[in-house]
Every structure is written in C-alpha cells, then in structure tokens.
Amino acid sequence: MASIVFRSSTATSGQSIDQIGRRSQSRPRSTQRHDSGLTHFAELVQSISHQDVERRYREEEADNRIPSDDAPGSSQFPGDDGKTIISWEVNDKENPYNWPKWRKNVILVTTMVTVINSTMGSALPSMAIPYMTKEWGVTSQVQFVLPISTFLMGYVFGPIVWGPMSEHIGRRNLSVGCFMMFTIWTMACALAPNWPAILVFRFFVGTFASAPIAVTTGILADVFQDPVTRGRAMAWFMVTTVFGPLLAPIISGFSSTSIGWRWTFWIGLIFAGLTLIMLLALPETYAPVLLSRRAAKIRKGDPNAQVYAAADLEPKDFKQLATRVLTRPIRMIMTELIVSAVCLYLSLIYAIFYMSFQAFPIIFQDVYGLSPGVTGLCYLPIGLGAGIALPIFFSYDRILANAQSRGAPWSKQEEFRRLPLATIGGPLFVISLFWLGWSARSDVSFVAPMLAGIPFGTGFILIFMALLNYITDAYEIFAASANAAASSCRSVFAVVLPFATTPMFTQLGISGACSLLGGLSLVMCVIPFIFIWKGEEIRARSKFCIALKERKLEMERRNEEQQRRIAAANGGGTNIEKETV
C-alpha cells in the first residue's frame, strides 16, 4: 500500500539548522518550552489524523475489491497471509449503494421520523414549564430555562460518542439502542416526582436523542453514492429537523392548559413508541459491518475457511477507540478550519433558534396577551419558511446540473455545489431578526412579527442545508464525525445563550435584543462567501483534506483500472442505474 508522506515544516527552504538554532536560542526558555509543547501536540494530532485516514481508506479499498499497488492480489490483505478478504462484487445486491430506490427511500423516511422525535423532545416542555415550576414551587427565572438546557447538554456530549461509534460498530444497533433509551427516559419525565429529577431525566433524554442527529448523515452517505442524490436526501432530512421543535410548543401549550403538563411527555412517548416500530425495521447500512457479517456467515458454514472482511483485521482495542475513534470530532474542530468555521456559524443560528422558546412568550404573551397554546401556533410560519427552502434547494440543483452539462467552469468547483444556498439563507435570517424586533409593538398586529418566521425558517434551513452538505462532501467517509463535531458545538451555544434571553430582552427591549442578534448573524453570514472565495485554498492547506483527497484519488484510479479489466474480460461495460430520490 502506497503510504502518504507528510514532511515536517520545521526547517523551511533557505534556512539552515544553525540559523534556526540561533533564532531559538534568542528566545526565552519558557517560550521555547511552550512552543515545543504546542508543536509536539500539533504533530501528534496530525499523526493520528493521517493514520485515521490511511486506515479507513485501506478498509474502503478492500471492501470494494480494489487491489493495492504493493499487494499480491485483491484477495490478500497486506500483512495477513493466508486470510482471504471478501469485498463487494460489481453490482453486488447487498451493497447499500445498489439497494433498490424504494428501500433507500424507506430508510430516508425512517430517519426523518426518528429525527422529528429527537428535535421535538428538545422543546417539548417549552410551554409546560410555568405549570411544572408552579407544581414544584420553583420561582427562580434562571431555572425556567433548565428543562431545555439540560436536554441540550446531552446534545453536547452524545454526538461526540455516537457519531464516531457508528463508524466503528455500525449504524443500526446503535440507532435502535439509543432510541429505546430515549423512549424510556421520556417516560421517566412523564413520571418525574420533583424538579431535580426531571432535570436529570431530561439530560439523559437529550444524550440518547442526539444519536439520530449524529448518525443519520452517515446513514445517508452509506446508501446514496451520488453527491447530488445524497444532497437531496439531506435536504429532506434537514427540513424535518425544524418541524420537531415547532410541533413541541403546540403540544405543550394546549395539553398543559387542558389535560395537564405531564401529558406533554405522554404524547411524546406515544409518538416515540410508534416510531420505534419503524426503526426496528431499519437495516444495517455501514459497509464494513455488512461485510464482516458476510465473512462470519461463511466461517460459520465452513469452520476451516480463513475468510474475513477488511474491518475484521483492524485492531479494535480500547486504545484505538480512545485515541482514534472518539477523538475524531474533537480533532476536526481543533485542526480543520472548515469544520471550525461551520461550527461557529451553525452554533449561533442554532442558539438563536432555541432562544426563541424564551423570546416568543415575551413577545406574544407579554406584549399581545396570547394564550400558551396560541403562542405555540406562532411558530408555524417558521415551518412554512422551512418548507419554502425545499423548492429553492431543488431549483438551484437544476441550475447547477444544467451548468455542469454545459461545462461551465464555476460548476466544477466544490464550493459551488451547495454553498450558494447559504449566501441566500444568511441574509434572509438577518432580515427576519430585524423584522421580528422592530415590528413587535402593541400598536402593530401580532401577525406582523409572526410573519417574520417565514424568512427565519427559510434562512435557517438553507444555511444548514448548505453547510452540513458541504462538510459531508468534504469529509465523506468521516461525515458522521464531522457532523457530530458540528452538532456538539452548536448544542453548547444552545445551552448557554438561552440563559441570557430574558435578561437581554429585559435590558435591551425586544427591538434592541433582536437587533443585537441580527448584527451578530450579519457578521457570521460572510463565512459562506469566504468559503466560495477561498475554500479551495483552505482545503488545499488542510492536512485532513489532503490525505482524504490523495487516498480517494488513488482508490478511484485503481478502481477505474479494475473496471476496465472487468469490462474487457466481459466484452462490454456494466450498466449502473442512476440514483434518484
């Protein structure tokens, strides 16, 4: 296997060792030790990342029966003589890429329904909190935020584990197991005996509810090979992530005032139970796990067979799990500028979205005197805006496809595949915040600020569609880890910033608070423009992207050679059905 060599940048061209030595001696020893420590740490992180990419693509090559340059044959795994490595055949029906369209769409719908449960759970007690605190005698305004914030704390820690774990043990069992625990802890919330108990239960609900957010992007990458089709599937998935939090205030607003706040959680539990039935039918989609099962089945039929999948021969001890798998999202945040910038932007708009669960009661109940149930209905324009984002997404998809068919130079650039959607969504999101803040007055109908939810929802979804698709395409086989990093970061902001909502709106007023958030969003919305302008250069300097690109090109080259040999042997090509969704 050809290895990738990354040269140290310590001694640049034109600099001798003596020059570097004299320069380092002129600096204080404490600074030298500090710099040495940082350098060593950076090199360690990069080394782990390079090994991670190398190992994962080696599995990918073996899974797809692609011969390595220094291997004697495609059936032999380097260093494991006598062990036959199974891989996907051409048009193998068990390969998720080759599954029928209806099966892929069922998987997509299942993941969509699952994520509705997850996101609905985040805001489920939003309109029920006044009734919960009244029952248990909680009077501190700061604590009113805790039922949502403790849930989102689970969103912080969960994805860091679930995303990379799904790339280690597979998608299906982890998804089902986490959703079962989500269902159990939701029931615990309905039966909570006191305030501290429900806060603890909400943390565990959030931890297990974060699994669909972290894993679904990996599932879609498993079954949709074509980036265009995968992007469309991601668009449907992203829209459903908004509808969960929008349904939650309606459920809690009407149930709390009529049948009791506990029914808020019972209704959530009923929906989760129905979803669990669908989720149990979800097949495993992760190719290394599927090939491991195939190899195990062969060995069971013939105990003397030395048949393995590539993943079976990779070490799976705790050291590997701790240093390579579980640290992957953290390494991406620390070393990848693309991931860091995406996390920062998404964190802000995600936090603003969850701040609305404190801001809307201030606006629509305090200013306009609406009931909790009717206030919950004021979230519906956000859902309408999210729905409007879909035709915008598909229209741009057609524009891009037509440009690519004409051979337009701009259409070949990676950054133009999805990022222009964020250049539309960013300004819309900014406009919606100023609209909401400056129209929310008692002398103006409540309909005016409510309609600000339309550009809010459209902008929110377009930004998420563009940036999550961008990092999914950029980091491919590590899409789940990249998205886990983004999910954890934005959840940190969503935990912290809502604590400032009530004091901020009290001190600055509705117009001032919304203007402040709009100004921050305006600063952040330049990020997609910078990516379009300099994204190719940023990826060219990224160690992770360099390693991914080189390994991918190498694998594609050998795959093309193999396909040509197969086509020549068969006297013709192989027809491959085009993916649609």
Side-chain angles (χ1 to χ4, degrees), residues 170-180 211-212 215 219 279 282:
R171 322 288 192 193
R172 196 248 178 205
N173 290 340
L174 187 142
S175 297
V176 172
C178 286
F179 196 83
M180 284 181 174
V215 176
I219 293 175
L279 191 61
L282 180 73

Side-chain angles (χ1 to χ4, degrees), residues 115-257:
V115 84
I116 288 177
N117 279 268
S118 173
T119 55
M120 185 173 74
S122 66
L124 201 54
S126 55
M127 295 298 171
I129 290 174
Y131 301 91
M132 296 161 60
T133 53
K134 182 179 179 180
E135 177 177 325
W136 289 318
V138 178
T139 57
S140 172
Q141 286 290 328
V142 174
Q143 293 196 50
F144 283 23
V145 184
L146 291 178
I148 293 178
S149 292
T150 50
F151 179 100
L152 293 173
M153 285 175 64
Y155 261 32
V156 173
F157 299 106
I160 294 176
V161 176
W162 309 138
M165 280 293 289
S166 74
E167 295 166 342
H168 192 65
I169 63 172
R171 322 288 192 193
R172 196 248 178 205
N173 290 340
L174 187 142
S175 297
V176 172
C178 286
F179 196 83
M180 284 181 174
M181 295 304 297
F182 162 78
T183 304
I184 291 171
W185 288 110
T186 300
M187 181 174 65
C189 290
L191 299 171
N194 51 52
W195 182 252
I198 198 166
L199 297 183
V200 173
F201 297 159
R202 288 286 293 166
F203 171 76
F204 285 112
V205 172
T207 300
F208 291 104
S210 65
I213 301 294
V215 176
T216 295
T217 52
I219 293 175
L220 298 181
D222 290 340
V223 299
F224 295 106
Q225 185 176 19
D226 177 48
V228 174
T229 310
R230 184 171 63 240
R232 291 172 181 171
M234 281 283 290
W236 286 105
F237 165 71
M238 285 306 308
V239 167
T240 58
T241 62
V242 172
F243 283 97
L246 300 184
L247 291 173
I250 299 173
I251 294 171
S252 60
F254 284 108
S255 62
S256 298
T257 56

Side-chain angles (χ1 to χ4, degrees), residues 483-517:
N483 280 276
S487 178
S488 293
C489 282
R490 64 179 183 258
S491 296
V492 170
F493 277 65
V495 168
V496 175
L497 288 187
F499 284 101
T501 304
T502 300
M504 182 171 65
F505 275 75
T506 302
Q507 295 293 325
L508 302 178
I510 294 172
S511 58
C514 289
S515 296
L516 175 60
L517 297 175

Side-chain angles (χ1 to χ4, degrees), residues 78-91:
D80 290 278
D81 296 336
K83 293 181 179 179
T84 302
I85 308 303
I86 63 168
S87 55
W88 298 125
E89 303 288 346
V90 177
N91 293 332

Side-chain angles (χ1 to χ4, degrees), residues 519-541:
L520 292 173
S521 301
L522 180 62
V523 172
M524 288 294 176
C525 79
V526 304
I527 289 176
F529 291 93
I530 293 174
F531 280 165
I532 291 175
W533 178 39
K534 292 291 184 180
E536 191 171 356
E537 294 181 22
I538 294 172
R539 286 186 289 111
R541 290 195 298 266

Side-chain angles (χ1 to χ4, degrees), residues 402-466:
N402 291 335
Q404 289 174 337
S405 64
R406 297 194 310 269
W410 67 268
S411 65
K412 299 176 183 179
Q413 187 178 338
E414 179 72 28
E415 279 67 30
F416 279 95
R417 183 180 292 168
R418 301 297 177 199
L419 285 178
L421 295 169
T423 65
I424 300 172
L428 282 176
F429 192 78
V430 173
I431 290 169
S432 71
L433 291 171
F434 284 102
W435 179 348
L436 176 66
W438 290 95
S439 64
R441 303 195 309 268
S442 57
D443 59 333
V444 177
S445 171
F446 75 92
V447 175
M450 185 177 73
L451 290 179
I454 295 176
F456 184 97
T458 304
F460 182 85
I461 286 297
L462 287 177
I463 294 167
F464 265 80
M465 282 179 177

Side-chain angles (χ1 to χ4, degrees), residues 261-469:
W261 68 262
R262 292 182 186 273
W263 269 98
T264 298
F265 296 102
W266 288 122
I267 293 171
L269 180 65
I270 292 169
F271 186 47
L274 294 174
T275 304
L276 182 59
I277 297 173
M278 294 179 61
L279 191 61
L280 290 172
L282 180 73
E284 178 57 61
T285 62
Y286 194 50
V289 170
L290 293 173
L291 288 168
S292 292
R293 291 177 181 175
R294 177 185 284 186
K297 186 176 180 180
I298 294 173
R299 292 196 303 271
K300 184 178 180 181
D302 182 6
N304 295 322
Q306 292 291 307
V307 177
Y308 297 90
D312 293 334
L313 302 180
E314 293 293 336
K316 292 185 177 181
D317 54 10
F318 178 77
K319 180 180 179 182
Q320 179 209 9
L321 183 67
T323 60
R324 201 162 57 83
V325 178
L326 296 182
T327 63
R328 191 180 297 142
I330 299 172
R331 281 185 280 116
M332 285 183 158
I333 295 172
M334 293 172 58
T335 63
E336 296 299 306
L337 180 58
I338 291 173
V339 175
S340 302
V342 167
C343 286
L344 189 62
Y345 190 13
L346 294 185
S347 295
L348 177 65
I349 66 167
Y350 192 71
I352 292 173
F353 180 77
Y354 275 93
M355 289 174 77
S356 71
F357 294 110
Q358 281 78 49
F360 269 41
I362 294 173
I363 295 171
F364 294 104
Q365 290 181 241
D366 296 350
V367 176
Y368 294 105
L370 302 182
S371 68
V374 176
T375 299
L377 293 175
C378 292
Y379 287 91
L380 289 179
I382 298 178
L384 176 60
I388 292 173
L390 273 177
I392 295 175
F393 179 91
F394 291 129
S395 297
Y396 179 74
D397 230 18
R398 287 193 293 272
I399 293 172
L400 180 63
N402 291 335
Q404 289 174 337
S405 64
R406 297 194 310 269
W410 67 268
S411 65
K412 299 176 183 179
Q413 187 178 338
E414 179 72 28
E415 279 67 30
F416 279 95
R417 183 180 292 168
R418 301 297 177 199
L419 285 178
L421 295 169
T423 65
I424 300 172
L428 282 176
F429 192 78
V430 173
I431 290 169
S432 71
L433 291 171
F434 284 102
W435 179 348
L436 176 66
W438 290 95
S439 64
R441 303 195 309 268
S442 57
D443 59 333
V444 177
S445 171
F446 75 92
V447 175
M450 185 177 73
L451 290 179
I454 295 176
F456 184 97
T458 304
F460 182 85
I461 286 297
L462 287 177
I463 294 167
F464 265 80
M465 282 179 177
L467 296 183
L468 290 185
N469 268 300

